Amino acid sequence: QVQLVESGGGLVQAGGSLRLACTASGRTFSNVKMGWFRQAPGKEREIVADISWNGATTNYVDSVKGRFTISRDNSKNMVSLQMNSLKPEDTAVYYCAAPRGPFSREYEYWGQGTQVTVSS
């Protein structure tokens, strides 16, 4: 059974930091990109960042550029999201996700999500 499990969410004051981790089990994801998404109440889910299979390429939504850093450790089947200078508008449930294969366009595997709340 393939599972993605997020951890590291919580409550933090504006300007603070959190580090989210996503650990995969059931198969290796070392040959596919992985992504972090978030969904705030009343808003659509958006992709926050993604990272190529080898970590060489990363992409970020404009609103988090310069504040968030995505990384991965394929030896541990893990992807992380370091979030600095957090803002109240970063409040959301954060999900990690992965496609089925290296040529898949859709993200098919999803974690259960971890809540991030940033107070002003």
Side-chain angles (χ1 to χ4, degrees), residues 63-93:
S63 59
V64 309
K65 285 181 180 177
R67 300 189 296 122
F68 290 11
T69 302
I70 188 172
S71 61
R72 68 188 298 163
D73 185 341
N74 286 339
S75 68
K76 298 180 180 178
N77 227 12
M78 177 183 294
V79 62
S80 300
L81 186 68
Q82 178 66 43
M83 306 186 295
N84 298 329
S85 301
L86 282 161
K87 304 176 180 180
E89 51 263 44
D90 294 318
T91 295
V93 178

Side-chain angles (χ1 to χ4, degrees), residues 9-84:
L11 173 64
V12 64
Q13 288 188 331
S17 298
L18 283 174
R19 186 176 182 86
L20 304 183
C22 172
T23 302
S25 61
R27 57 159 281 186
T28 180
F29 289 95
S30 60
N31 64 333
V32 301
K33 67 179 181 180
M34 295 193 73
W36 282 97
F37 292 74
R38 66 185 179 186
Q39 186 165 21
K43 294 188 177 181
E44 293 188 355
R45 184 173 61 197
E46 67 170 348
I47 187 164
V48 175
D50 63 25
I51 186 167
S52 61
W53 68 275
N54 61 356
T57 303
T58 57
N59 298 289
Y60 299 91
V61 67
D62 285 347
S63 59
V64 309
K65 285 181 180 177
R67 300 189 296 122
F68 290 11
T69 302
I70 188 172
S71 61
R72 68 188 298 163
D73 185 341
N74 286 339
S75 68
K76 298 180 180 178
N77 227 12
M78 177 183 294
V79 62
S80 300
L81 186 68
Q82 178 66 43
M83 306 186 295
N84 298 329

